[in-house]
Amino acid sequence: GINAEYGDTLDKTRSAPDSSFSTLRMKSQSLLFILSAILFVAFATSQELQVNPTECVTDWVAGSTKDYFPQKLDALPALGFRVKYFGNYKIVENLSANETYLLYLCGSLPPANSTLPANTKVFKIPLESLAVTDTTILTFLEVLGVSSRVHQVDLTYVNSPCLIKRQEISNITNFNFYSSAAQTLEAVKKVDGVLSGPSINAHPKYIAFSASSDPGNLNRAAWLGFLSTFFNLEGKANQLFDAISNNYECYEAKLSSAKTSPVVFWVSYSRPASWNGNKGSWSVSSARYKLELTTDAGGVYKEVDATYTSFDAFQTTLLQQNAEILVDETYAPTLNETTFEVFRQNFPFSSNLTFPFLKNQNVFRTDKTVNRNMGLAWYESSIVLADEVLQDFISVVHPEVVPATYQRKWFRNVSKNEPIIVSSSSLCSDIQAPYLLKNESCYTAPSPSPSPSLSTPQPTPEISSSAMPFQTLSCLLLIVVSCAFFLI
């Protein structure tokens, strides 16, 4: 009896701490479970807010102070636009066109715009369907990866192989927005927005795009940022522009080994016509972006902005300024008018005078790549691809510092009868793929290609997120807590 009583007492003594430990363990598990849930929610929330929404939001309520645009545009060098952010909407101003756009998130409502200009245009973003009236916009859209949203465009002078391919498979509508006014209005009803050139159109769906009006090459490329606001792709635009800018500076730095600074002239010839009184004329351009491109490529740009009705006066200027490289921008409506023979007819230089650009065969045109209607890729893609244009022009001004295998995209040596490349859909492998910027060591020789394409993909940096450190920490804490939960 004594032993049994002692045993009962011993069992009770042992069971007391077991019960206390069990209770403590349950509380610890509950606490760790709650902590895990909190960390999981924090992780999911940070992941949700790290990028701008690319679809309609579902959690917006009137009066919300939530910032739906964590990725805002960096301070880009473009002078012609500015952006302000306000929770679920943003105000974009095209200063060049004097237009204001209120962009509000799909799934929310726009604010009362009584404080904005009376002609403010309102758009629900991101835009899903587009019409484009100016080819200079197309490569910007391809670089941003949203060209598949273009439903209507006049393809007469388009060079993009993928847009040409889309026309061939009836995946896009070929429409001239400068034809019938009634038909144009009907076409506009079918899209969310119409991207036009720098000219202003009062229609509420028209968006003026003024990249070509900005003065410098990187200024013009920075209009990637302007377009990105309509698709909530500011984070992507920031990184794309950084890549372009870094490449541009890298190419400039390579010129430190150049020994000379050739004098470059950009010229053109206007045939006699009714608009000029049936008198031919010869012009020298001093456009700011050409001046900048020339000097950045290691050349000397003579600011002689003039039009001559006397060819003798024109050739005297070139002779006095010791022009060493000539870029002929004369319009050529057919392939037959792009030859060196036609150049000599348009510019009848005296045979008894010595011009360095003729002696050294340094006469170029910007028609290296054209479409079947003689639309120049120069007008379509050179504005946004500022780094590649600089590389192209360095190969003109200082060919000794570029790889021997380099193939130009825009500039063609007409005095050496270099061939023209005609854009073709065969150069497009994927109509959905974006144009990928160069991500290579500066002046790494590209692989030789018999038909270099403006849409040839190059590796591009991955888009990183500023929120990644927090996410990584949250994820690690979540793993630790989970392990502790199962070990207790």
mmCIF file of all heavy atoms in Angstrom, residues 235-281:
data_model
loop_
_atom_site.group_PDB
_atom_site.id
_atom_site.type_symbol
_atom_site.label_atom_id
_atom_site.label_comp_id
_atom_site.label_asym_id
_atom_site.label_seq_id
_atom_site.Cartn_x
_atom_site.Cartn_y
_atom_site.Cartn_z
ATOM 1 N N GLY A 235 9.538 52.103 -64.082
ATOM 2 C CA GLY A 235 10.723 51.382 -63.621
ATOM 3 C C GLY A 235 11.529 50.826 -64.774
ATOM 4 O O GLY A 235 12.761 50.892 -64.790
ATOM 5 N N LYS A 236 10.837 50.282 -65.745
ATOM 6 C CA LYS A 236 11.508 49.740 -66.931
ATOM 7 C C LYS A 236 12.157 50.858 -67.733
ATOM 8 O O LYS A 236 13.294 50.728 -68.207
ATOM 9 C CB LYS A 236 10.501 48.986 -67.787
ATOM 10 C CG LYS A 236 11.115 48.265 -68.975
ATOM 11 C CD LYS A 236 10.089 47.395 -69.685
ATOM 12 C CE LYS A 236 10.736 46.577 -70.794
ATOM 13 N NZ LYS A 236 9.762 45.691 -71.471
ATOM 14 N N ALA A 237 11.450 51.980 -67.885
ATOM 15 C CA ALA A 237 11.997 53.111 -68.645
ATOM 16 C C ALA A 237 13.265 53.647 -67.995
ATOM 17 O O ALA A 237 14.226 54.009 -68.691
ATOM 18 C CB ALA A 237 10.949 54.217 -68.757
ATOM 19 N N ASN A 238 13.285 53.711 -66.669
ATOM 20 C CA ASN A 238 14.484 54.181 -65.967
ATOM 21 C C ASN A 238 15.686 53.319 -66.318
ATOM 22 O O ASN A 238 16.774 53.826 -66.617
ATOM 23 C CB ASN A 238 14.258 54.151 -64.454
ATOM 24 C CG ASN A 238 13.309 55.238 -63.979
ATOM 25 O OD1 ASN A 238 13.141 56.266 -64.626
ATOM 26 N ND2 ASN A 238 12.676 55.007 -62.842
ATOM 27 N N GLN A 239 15.509 52.004 -66.269
ATOM 28 C CA GLN A 239 16.636 51.113 -66.540
ATOM 29 C C GLN A 239 17.024 51.112 -68.014
ATOM 30 O O GLN A 239 18.200 51.028 -68.353
ATOM 31 C CB GLN A 239 16.298 49.699 -66.061
ATOM 32 C CG GLN A 239 16.192 49.611 -64.548
ATOM 33 C CD GLN A 239 16.622 48.274 -63.994
ATOM 34 O OE1 GLN A 239 16.995 47.372 -64.745
ATOM 35 N NE2 GLN A 239 16.590 48.135 -62.686
ATOM 36 N N LEU A 240 16.045 51.213 -68.889
ATOM 37 C CA LEU A 240 16.352 51.269 -70.316
ATOM 38 C C LEU A 240 17.156 52.519 -70.645
ATOM 39 O O LEU A 240 18.147 52.460 -71.376
ATOM 40 C CB LEU A 240 15.056 51.241 -71.128
ATOM 41 C CG LEU A 240 14.301 49.915 -71.154
ATOM 42 C CD1 LEU A 240 12.912 50.099 -71.765
ATOM 43 C CD2 LEU A 240 15.070 48.851 -71.929
ATOM 44 N N PHE A 241 16.727 53.650 -70.091
ATOM 45 C CA PHE A 241 17.460 54.885 -70.374
ATOM 46 C C PHE A 241 18.858 54.838 -69.773
ATOM 47 O O PHE A 241 19.818 55.318 -70.383
ATOM 48 C CB PHE A 241 16.717 56.115 -69.865
ATOM 49 C CG PHE A 241 17.468 57.391 -70.162
ATOM 50 C CD1 PHE A 241 17.476 57.913 -71.444
ATOM 51 C CD2 PHE A 241 18.228 58.009 -69.175
ATOM 52 C CE1 PHE A 241 18.209 59.057 -71.744
ATOM 53 C CE2 PHE A 241 18.961 59.153 -69.460
ATOM 54 C CZ PHE A 241 18.949 59.678 -70.746
ATOM 55 N N ASP A 242 18.987 54.259 -68.577
ATOM 56 C CA ASP A 242 20.321 54.124 -67.979
ATOM 57 C C ASP A 242 21.242 53.322 -68.900
ATOM 58 O O ASP A 242 22.422 53.655 -69.062
ATOM 59 C CB ASP A 242 20.221 53.427 -66.625
ATOM 60 C CG ASP A 242 19.705 54.353 -65.526
ATOM 61 O OD1 ASP A 242 19.664 55.572 -65.760
ATOM 62 O OD2 ASP A 242 19.332 53.848 -64.451
ATOM 63 N N ALA A 243 20.714 52.248 -69.495
ATOM 64 C CA ALA A 243 21.518 51.418 -70.401
ATOM 65 C C ALA A 243 21.946 52.224 -71.619
ATOM 66 O O ALA A 243 23.111 52.169 -72.045
ATOM 67 C CB ALA A 243 20.728 50.184 -70.819
ATOM 68 N N ILE A 244 21.020 52.988 -72.199
ATOM 69 C CA ILE A 244 21.333 53.820 -73.367
ATOM 70 C C ILE A 244 22.381 54.863 -73.011
ATOM 71 O O ILE A 244 23.366 55.064 -73.730
ATOM 72 C CB ILE A 244 20.053 54.491 -73.902
ATOM 73 C CG1 ILE A 244 19.116 53.441 -74.503
ATOM 74 C CG2 ILE A 244 20.395 55.560 -74.944
ATOM 75 C CD1 ILE A 244 17.739 53.977 -74.861
ATOM 76 N N SER A 245 22.181 55.533 -71.885
ATOM 77 C CA SER A 245 23.093 56.594 -71.451
ATOM 78 C C SER A 245 24.482 56.042 -71.147
ATOM 79 O O SER A 245 25.503 56.629 -71.538
ATOM 80 C CB SER A 245 22.516 57.292 -70.219
ATOM 81 O OG SER A 245 23.371 58.314 -69.770
ATOM 82 N N ASN A 246 24.538 54.896 -70.464
ATOM 83 C CA ASN A 246 25.845 54.295 -70.133
ATOM 84 C C ASN A 246 26.595 53.879 -71.396
ATOM 85 O O ASN A 246 27.812 54.086 -71.503
ATOM 86 C CB ASN A 246 25.645 53.088 -69.216
ATOM 87 C CG ASN A 246 25.182 53.491 -67.831
ATOM 88 O OD1 ASN A 246 25.365 54.633 -67.406
ATOM 89 N ND2 ASN A 246 24.565 52.558 -67.111
ATOM 90 N N ASN A 247 25.880 53.283 -72.348
ATOM 91 C CA ASN A 247 26.515 52.920 -73.614
ATOM 92 C C ASN A 247 27.033 54.150 -74.341
ATOM 93 O O ASN A 247 28.135 54.153 -74.904
ATOM 94 C CB ASN A 247 25.529 52.172 -74.514
ATOM 95 C CG ASN A 247 25.337 50.726 -74.114
ATOM 96 O OD1 ASN A 247 26.166 50.153 -73.420
ATOM 97 N ND2 ASN A 247 24.243 50.133 -74.555
ATOM 98 N N TYR A 248 26.217 55.192 -74.351
ATOM 99 C CA TYR A 248 26.579 56.433 -75.044
ATOM 100 C C TYR A 248 27.895 56.982 -74.483
ATOM 101 O O TYR A 248 28.821 57.326 -75.227
ATOM 102 C CB TYR A 248 25.454 57.453 -74.869
ATOM 103 C CG TYR A 248 25.508 58.633 -75.822
ATOM 104 C CD1 TYR A 248 24.736 58.639 -76.981
ATOM 105 C CD2 TYR A 248 26.314 59.743 -75.565
ATOM 106 C CE1 TYR A 248 24.759 59.717 -77.855
ATOM 107 C CE2 TYR A 248 26.350 60.822 -76.431
ATOM 108 C CZ TYR A 248 25.570 60.801 -77.581
ATOM 109 O OH TYR A 248 25.601 61.868 -78.446
ATOM 110 N N GLU A 249 27.979 57.056 -73.153
ATOM 111 C CA GLU A 249 29.182 57.586 -72.510
ATOM 112 C C GLU A 249 30.385 56.664 -72.751
ATOM 113 O O GLU A 249 31.523 57.136 -72.897
ATOM 114 C CB GLU A 249 28.924 57.761 -71.019
ATOM 115 C CG GLU A 249 27.901 58.851 -70.715
ATOM 116 C CD GLU A 249 27.500 58.879 -69.248
ATOM 117 O OE1 GLU A 249 28.040 58.056 -68.475
ATOM 118 O OE2 GLU A 249 26.666 59.721 -68.884
ATOM 119 N N CYS A 250 30.126 55.373 -72.801
ATOM 120 C CA CYS A 250 31.204 54.417 -73.052
ATOM 121 C C CYS A 250 31.790 54.606 -74.447
ATOM 122 O O CYS A 250 33.013 54.607 -74.625
ATOM 123 C CB CYS A 250 30.663 52.999 -72.888
ATOM 124 S SG CYS A 250 31.882 51.702 -73.168
ATOM 125 N N TYR A 251 30.918 54.788 -75.434
ATOM 126 C CA TYR A 251 31.392 54.990 -76.800
ATOM 127 C C TYR A 251 32.184 56.294 -76.914
ATOM 128 O O TYR A 251 33.198 56.358 -77.610
ATOM 129 C CB TYR A 251 30.217 55.003 -77.777
ATOM 130 C CG TYR A 251 29.501 53.682 -77.878
ATOM 131 C CD1 TYR A 251 28.116 53.621 -78.031
ATOM 132 C CD2 TYR A 251 30.195 52.475 -77.813
ATOM 133 C CE1 TYR A 251 27.449 52.403 -78.117
ATOM 134 C CE2 TYR A 251 29.544 51.258 -77.893
ATOM 135 C CZ TYR A 251 28.176 51.230 -78.042
ATOM 136 O OH TYR A 251 27.516 50.031 -78.122
ATOM 137 N N GLU A 252 31.707 57.327 -76.219
ATOM 138 C CA GLU A 252 32.447 58.598 -76.224
ATOM 139 C C GLU A 252 33.857 58.409 -75.663
ATOM 140 O O GLU A 252 34.831 58.946 -76.197
ATOM 141 C CB GLU A 252 31.708 59.638 -75.376
ATOM 142 C CG GLU A 252 30.585 60.364 -76.074
ATOM 143 C CD GLU A 252 30.087 61.520 -75.238
ATOM 144 O OE1 GLU A 252 29.364 61.263 -74.250
ATOM 145 O OE2 GLU A 252 30.419 62.681 -75.546
ATOM 146 N N ALA A 253 33.937 57.660 -74.559
ATOM 147 C CA ALA A 253 35.227 57.473 -73.899
ATOM 148 C C ALA A 253 36.236 56.759 -74.796
ATOM 149 O O ALA A 253 37.445 56.973 -74.671
ATOM 150 C CB ALA A 253 35.030 56.686 -72.601
ATOM 151 N N LYS A 254 35.761 55.918 -75.698
ATOM 152 C CA LYS A 254 36.656 55.182 -76.587
ATOM 153 C C LYS A 254 37.386 56.094 -77.573
ATOM 154 O O LYS A 254 38.352 55.695 -78.206
ATOM 155 C CB LYS A 254 35.881 54.118 -77.360
ATOM 156 C CG LYS A 254 35.479 52.912 -76.517
ATOM 157 C CD LYS A 254 36.692 52.118 -76.077
ATOM 158 C CE LYS A 254 36.315 50.910 -75.244
ATOM 159 N NZ LYS A 254 37.500 50.147 -74.806
ATOM 160 N N LEU A 255 36.895 57.321 -77.712
ATOM 161 C CA LEU A 255 37.495 58.240 -78.680
ATOM 162 C C LEU A 255 38.757 58.909 -78.153
ATOM 163 O O LEU A 255 39.372 59.714 -78.862
ATOM 164 C CB LEU A 255 36.469 59.314 -79.082
ATOM 165 C CG LEU A 255 35.308 58.796 -79.928
ATOM 166 C CD1 LEU A 255 34.237 59.864 -80.065
ATOM 167 C CD2 LEU A 255 35.799 58.379 -81.300
ATOM 168 N N SER A 256 39.138 58.611 -76.936
ATOM 169 C CA SER A 256 40.344 59.235 -76.378
ATOM 170 C C SER A 256 41.596 58.881 -77.184
ATOM 171 O O SER A 256 42.590 59.608 -77.155
ATOM 172 C CB SER A 256 40.531 58.802 -74.924
ATOM 173 O OG SER A 256 40.641 57.385 -74.829
ATOM 174 N N SER A 257 41.514 57.774 -77.921
ATOM 175 C CA SER A 257 42.665 57.356 -78.723
ATOM 176 C C SER A 257 42.677 57.980 -80.118
ATOM 177 O O SER A 257 43.628 57.795 -80.874
ATOM 178 C CB SER A 257 42.666 55.828 -78.869
ATOM 179 O OG SER A 257 41.482 55.386 -79.527
ATOM 180 N N ALA A 258 41.631 58.708 -80.461
ATOM 181 C CA ALA A 258 41.547 59.314 -81.804
ATOM 182 C C ALA A 258 42.587 60.414 -81.951
ATOM 183 O O ALA A 258 42.802 61.219 -81.038
ATOM 184 C CB ALA A 258 40.153 59.864 -82.037
ATOM 185 N N LYS A 259 43.228 60.461 -83.105
ATOM 186 C CA LYS A 259 44.315 61.416 -83.345
ATOM 187 C C LYS A 259 43.835 62.703 -84.029
ATOM 188 O O LYS A 259 44.484 63.742 -83.933
ATOM 189 C CB LYS A 259 45.391 60.758 -84.215
ATOM 190 C CG LYS A 259 45.926 59.442 -83.678
ATOM 191 C CD LYS A 259 46.660 59.605 -82.368
ATOM 192 C CE LYS A 259 47.270 58.279 -81.912
ATOM 193 N NZ LYS A 259 47.908 58.370 -80.580
ATOM 194 N N THR A 260 42.707 62.627 -84.734
ATOM 195 C CA THR A 260 42.252 63.783 -85.516
ATOM 196 C C THR A 260 40.798 64.103 -85.202
ATOM 197 O O THR A 260 40.095 63.333 -84.546
ATOM 198 C CB THR A 260 42.374 63.498 -87.022
ATOM 199 O OG1 THR A 260 41.551 62.363 -87.348
ATOM 200 C CG2 THR A 260 43.819 63.200 -87.404
ATOM 201 N N SER A 261 40.339 65.250 -85.693
ATOM 202 C CA SER A 261 38.941 65.670 -85.551
ATOM 203 C C SER A 261 38.453 66.157 -86.914
ATOM 204 O O SER A 261 38.524 67.368 -87.222
ATOM 205 C CB SER A 261 38.814 66.790 -84.506
ATOM 206 O OG SER A 261 39.221 66.334 -83.238
ATOM 207 N N PRO A 262 37.960 65.250 -87.750
ATOM 208 C CA PRO A 262 37.530 65.626 -89.104
ATOM 209 C C PRO A 262 36.368 66.633 -89.094
ATOM 210 O O PRO A 262 35.497 66.582 -88.220
ATOM 211 C CB PRO A 262 37.091 64.294 -89.712
ATOM 212 C CG PRO A 262 37.732 63.243 -88.865
ATOM 213 C CD PRO A 262 37.801 63.822 -87.489
ATOM 214 N N VAL A 263 36.354 67.506 -90.073
ATOM 215 C CA VAL A 263 35.273 68.486 -90.229
ATOM 216 C C VAL A 263 34.115 67.829 -90.981
ATOM 217 O O VAL A 263 34.312 67.265 -92.065
ATOM 218 C CB VAL A 263 35.758 69.735 -90.996
ATOM 219 C CG1 VAL A 263 34.596 70.711 -91.221
ATOM 220 C CG2 VAL A 263 36.888 70.407 -90.217
ATOM 221 N N VAL A 264 32.920 67.888 -90.392
ATOM 222 C CA VAL A 264 31.743 67.214 -90.942
ATOM 223 C C VAL A 264 30.676 68.244 -91.333
ATOM 224 O O VAL A 264 30.393 69.179 -90.577
ATOM 225 C CB VAL A 264 31.139 66.226 -89.915
ATOM 226 C CG1 VAL A 264 29.916 65.524 -90.500
ATOM 227 C CG2 VAL A 264 32.180 65.215 -89.472
ATOM 228 N N PHE A 265 30.087 68.039 -92.505
ATOM 229 C CA PHE A 265 28.977 68.879 -92.953
ATOM 230 C C PHE A 265 27.769 68.002 -93.275
ATOM 231 O O PHE A 265 27.898 66.979 -93.948
ATOM 232 C CB PHE A 265 29.372 69.681 -94.208
ATOM 233 C CG PHE A 265 30.000 71.015 -93.926
ATOM 234 C CD1 PHE A 265 31.321 71.089 -93.533
ATOM 235 C CD2 PHE A 265 29.264 72.190 -94.042
ATOM 236 C CE1 PHE A 265 31.919 72.314 -93.262
ATOM 237 C CE2 PHE A 265 29.851 73.414 -93.773
ATOM 238 C CZ PHE A 265 31.176 73.480 -93.381
ATOM 239 N N TRP A 266 26.593 68.399 -92.782
ATOM 240 C CA TRP A 266 25.319 67.759 -93.109
ATOM 241 C C TRP A 266 24.631 68.646 -94.145
ATOM 242 O O TRP A 266 24.317 69.802 -93.869
ATOM 243 C CB TRP A 266 24.444 67.628 -91.873
ATOM 244 C CG TRP A 266 25.006 66.755 -90.784
ATOM 245 C CD1 TRP A 266 26.117 66.999 -90.021
ATOM 246 C CD2 TRP A 266 24.473 65.500 -90.338
ATOM 247 N NE1 TRP A 266 26.313 65.980 -89.130
ATOM 248 C CE2 TRP A 266 25.322 65.044 -89.284
ATOM 249 C CE3 TRP A 266 23.369 64.732 -90.706
ATOM 250 C CZ2 TRP A 266 25.087 63.847 -88.612
ATOM 251 C CZ3 TRP A 266 23.152 63.538 -90.030
ATOM 252 C CH2 TRP A 266 24.001 63.104 -89.001
ATOM 253 N N VAL A 267 24.428 68.116 -95.347
ATOM 254 C CA VAL A 267 23.937 68.945 -96.443
ATOM 255 C C VAL A 267 22.734 68.284 -97.126
ATOM 256 O O VAL A 267 22.457 67.095 -96.928
ATOM 257 C CB VAL A 267 25.052 69.183 -97.491
ATOM 258 C CG1 VAL A 267 26.251 69.876 -96.855
ATOM 259 C CG2 VAL A 267 25.480 67.856 -98.132
ATOM 260 N N SER A 268 22.041 69.066 -97.930
ATOM 261 C CA SER A 268 20.920 68.531 -98.717
ATOM 262 C C SER A 268 20.690 69.403 -99.939
ATOM 263 O O SER A 268 21.075 70.579 -99.967
ATOM 264 C CB SER A 268 19.642 68.453 -97.876
ATOM 265 O OG SER A 268 19.261 69.745 -97.431
ATOM 266 N N TYR A 269 20.051 68.811 -100.916
ATOM 267 C CA TYR A 269 19.735 69.515 -102.168
ATOM 268 C C TYR A 269 18.225 69.492 -102.374
ATOM 269 O O TYR A 269 17.575 68.453 -102.202
ATOM 270 C CB TYR A 269 20.420 68.831 -103.348
ATOM 271 C CG TYR A 269 19.943 69.288 -104.708
ATOM 272 C CD1 TYR A 269 20.117 70.607 -105.118
ATOM 273 C CD2 TYR A 269 19.330 68.388 -105.589
ATOM 274 C CE1 TYR A 269 19.678 71.023 -106.368
ATOM 275 C CE2 TYR A 269 18.898 68.797 -106.837
ATOM 276 C CZ TYR A 269 19.064 70.121 -107.222
ATOM 277 O OH TYR A 269 18.633 70.534 -108.460
ATOM 278 N N SER A 270 17.666 70.635 -102.717
ATOM 279 C CA SER A 270 16.235 70.751 -103.030
ATOM 280 C C SER A 270 16.085 71.015 -104.517
ATOM 281 O O SER A 270 16.597 72.022 -105.034
ATOM 282 C CB SER A 270 15.600 71.884 -102.225
ATOM 283 O OG SER A 270 15.644 71.617 -100.848
ATOM 284 N N ARG A 271 15.389 70.109 -105.186
ATOM 285 C CA ARG A 271 15.183 70.269 -106.624
ATOM 286 C C ARG A 271 14.259 71.432 -106.922
ATOM 287 O O ARG A 271 13.416 71.805 -106.082
ATOM 288 C CB ARG A 271 14.599 68.976 -107.203
ATOM 289 C CG ARG A 271 15.523 67.773 -107.081
ATOM 290 C CD ARG A 271 14.830 66.497 -107.506
ATOM 291 N NE ARG A 271 15.729 65.343 -107.444
ATOM 292 C CZ ARG A 271 16.016 64.683 -106.318
ATOM 293 N NH1 ARG A 271 15.467 65.063 -105.177
ATOM 294 N NH2 ARG A 271 16.847 63.658 -106.348
ATOM 295 N N PRO A 272 14.372 72.017 -108.125
ATOM 296 C CA PRO A 272 13.451 73.103 -108.500
ATOM 297 C C PRO A 272 12.006 72.618 -108.440
ATOM 298 O O PRO A 272 11.664 71.534 -108.928
ATOM 299 C CB PRO A 272 13.870 73.433 -109.939
ATOM 300 C CG PRO A 272 15.294 72.990 -110.022
ATOM 301 C CD PRO A 272 15.382 71.768 -109.169
ATOM 302 N N ALA A 273 11.156 73.396 -107.794
ATOM 303 C CA ALA A 273 9.740 73.055 -107.655
ATOM 304 C C ALA A 273 8.947 74.337 -107.469
ATOM 305 O O ALA A 273 9.514 75.426 -107.285
ATOM 306 C CB ALA A 273 9.520 72.115 -106.474
ATOM 307 N N SER A 274 7.636 74.216 -107.491
ATOM 308 C CA SER A 274 6.785 75.396 -107.377
ATOM 309 C C SER A 274 6.959 76.082 -106.021
ATOM 310 O O SER A 274 6.901 77.311 -105.918
ATOM 311 C CB SER A 274 5.317 75.002 -107.571
ATOM 312 O OG SER A 274 4.939 74.001 -106.637
ATOM 313 N N TRP A 275 7.209 75.277 -104.976
ATOM 314 C CA TRP A 275 7.311 75.866 -103.635
ATOM 315 C C TRP A 275 8.572 76.712 -103.457
ATOM 316 O O TRP A 275 8.619 77.587 -102.591
ATOM 317 C CB TRP A 275 7.262 74.780 -102.559
ATOM 318 C CG TRP A 275 8.426 73.823 -102.575
ATOM 319 C CD1 TRP A 275 8.498 72.646 -103.238
ATOM 320 C CD2 TRP A 275 9.669 73.977 -101.901
ATOM 321 N NE1 TRP A 275 9.715 72.037 -103.024
ATOM 322 C CE2 TRP A 275 10.457 72.836 -102.195
ATOM 323 C CE3 TRP A 275 10.208 74.951 -101.062
ATOM 324 C CZ2 TRP A 275 11.748 72.664 -101.694
ATOM 325 C CZ3 TRP A 275 11.491 74.775 -100.559
ATOM 326 C CH2 TRP A 275 12.245 73.641 -100.880
ATOM 327 N N ASN A 276 9.616 76.464 -104.272
ATOM 328 C CA ASN A 276 10.827 77.282 -104.152
ATOM 329 C C ASN A 276 11.065 78.139 -105.391
ATOM 330 O O ASN A 276 12.197 78.517 -105.691
ATOM 331 C CB ASN A 276 12.050 76.401 -103.879
ATOM 332 C CG ASN A 276 12.327 75.379 -104.975
ATOM 333 O OD1 ASN A 276 11.735 75.441 -106.060
ATOM 334 N ND2 ASN A 276 13.228 74.442 -104.700
ATOM 335 N N GLY A 277 9.963 78.434 -106.084
ATOM 336 C CA GLY A 277 10.071 79.306 -107.245
ATOM 337 C C GLY A 277 10.816 78.678 -108.392
ATOM 338 O O GLY A 277 11.428 79.389 -109.205
ATOM 339 N N ASN A 278 10.801 77.338 -108.456
ATOM 340 C CA ASN A 278 11.495 76.591 -109.505
ATOM 341 C C ASN A 278 12.989 76.893 -109.547
ATOM 342 O O ASN A 278 13.611 76.902 -110.615
ATOM 343 C CB ASN A 278 10.854 76.875 -110.872
ATOM 344 C CG ASN A 278 9.462 76.274 -110.962
ATOM 345 O OD1 ASN A 278 9.249 75.112 -110.591
ATOM 346 N ND2 ASN A 278 8.513 77.075 -111.432
ATOM 347 N N LYS A 279 13.529 77.126 -108.350
ATOM 348 C CA LYS A 279 14.966 77.351 -108.240
ATOM 349 C C LYS A 279 15.555 76.324 -107.277
ATOM 350 O O LYS A 279 15.133 76.228 -106.126
ATOM 351 C CB LYS A 279 15.264 78.767 -107.727
ATOM 352 C CG LYS A 279 14.871 79.880 -108.694
ATOM 353 C CD LYS A 279 15.227 81.230 -108.109
ATOM 354 C CE LYS A 279 14.845 82.357 -109.075
ATOM 355 N NZ LYS A 279 15.166 83.693 -108.515
ATOM 356 N N GLY A 280 16.506 75.563 -107.763
ATOM 357 C CA GLY A 280 17.160 74.596 -106.895
ATOM 358 C C GLY A 280 17.990 75.298 -105.821
ATOM 359 O O GLY A 280 18.413 76.448 -105.998
ATOM 360 N N SER A 281 18.206 74.608 -104.701
ATOM 361 C CA SER A 281 18.997 75.213 -103.619
ATOM 362 C C SER A 281 19.762 74.126 -102.869
ATOM 363 O O SER A 281 19.408 72.943 -102.901
ATOM 364 C CB SER A 281 18.104 75.996 -102.659
ATOM 365 O OG SER A 281 17.127 75.144 -102.078
#
